[in-house]
């Protein structure tokens, strides 16, 4: 879903697992779907962790724990490794997450998130550990993600870190533009450049 980004302040869902790959985010059997319906993929986010083999909810998995909610997912190191399936980003967005915070992202998955209006925020391992601890101590802990200033703040401790983002992607997120929207918006400039460089 195209949504403009500015400042997001939310409680968080903690997933303190490292090397979460895209098959765990959205299992391969769902890649056969002919839809890009956000609710379909969101409903199947972390499917094999959220549900038991008999289809019943796994009450031990964090998404099924009513104590945790919010539009920020805080995940362990090396999030989104494995295959390059964009469906993983569809599932994260479809569930309602707008930000994923980790100490490291697989490059292709990171770009897939950006292309689907999910902001990947890479922080230091120390800051990530502090976030996990704050959320464990109080699930109502708020985290502020400020895209204009490129900072993330743990409001429980007041500590902030700066994060990097490609300037073009930052512009697109802040203006709610995908790549095609950006090209259409700059159609006249593109045509003028073509005229001048024939």
């Amino acid at each position: 879903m195209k949504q403009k980004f500015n400042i997001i302040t939310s409680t968080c869902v903690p997933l303190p697992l490292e090397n979460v790959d895209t098959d765990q985010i959205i299992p391969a059997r769902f890649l056969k779907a002919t839809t890009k319906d956000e609710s379909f993929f969101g409903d199947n986010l972390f499917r094999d962790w959220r549900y038991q083999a008999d289809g019943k909810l796994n009450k031990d998995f964090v998404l099924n724990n009513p104590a945790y909610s919010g539009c920020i997912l805080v995940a362990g190191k090396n999030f989104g490794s494995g295959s390059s399936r964009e469906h993983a980003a569809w599932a994260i967005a479809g569930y309602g997450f707008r930000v994923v915070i980790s100490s490291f992202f697989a490059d292709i998955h990171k770009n897939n998130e950006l292309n689907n209006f999910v902001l990947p925020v890479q922080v230091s391992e120390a800051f990530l550990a502090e976030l996990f601890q704050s959320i464990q101590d109080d699930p109502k802990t708020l985290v502020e993600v400020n895209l204009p200033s490129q900072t993330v703040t743990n409001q429980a401790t007041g500590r902030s870190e700066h994060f990097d983002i490609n300037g073009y992607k930052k512009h697109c997120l802040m203006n709610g533009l995908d790549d095609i929207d950006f090209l259409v918006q700059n159609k006249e400039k593109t045509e003028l450049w073509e005229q001048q460089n024939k």
Side-chain angles (χ1 to χ4, degrees), residues 67-136:
Y68 298 107
S69 63
C71 65
I72 299 175
L73 175 66
V74 181
K77 183 179 181 180
N78 196 28
F79 186 77
S81 58
S83 76
S84 61
R85 68 190 68 168
E86 190 173 5
H87 304 69
W90 298 353
I92 292 166
Y95 187 81
F97 288 121
R98 300 199 65 201
V99 176
V100 179
I101 300 173
S102 179
S103 60
F104 183 79
F105 291 88
D107 285 342
I108 293 175
H109 179 73
K110 184 176 185 179
N111 285 323
N112 285 340
E113 285 192 7
L114 288 166
N115 289 337
N116 286 276
F117 295 86
V118 175
L119 177 62
V121 174
Q122 188 164 316
V123 297
S124 68
E125 291 189 25
F127 187 82
L128 184 67
E130 180 192 281
L131 271 184
F132 280 132
Q133 188 62 56
S134 293
I135 296 165
Q136 179 181 315

Side-chain angles (χ1 to χ4, degrees), residues 44-60:
N44 292 295
L45 175 67
F46 300 122
R47 175 76 191 197
D48 293 340
W49 289 345
R50 286 168 72 185
Y51 297 91
Q52 298 173 350
D54 60 4
K56 293 180 181 177
L57 285 178
N58 175 7
K59 294 180 181 178
D60 294 328

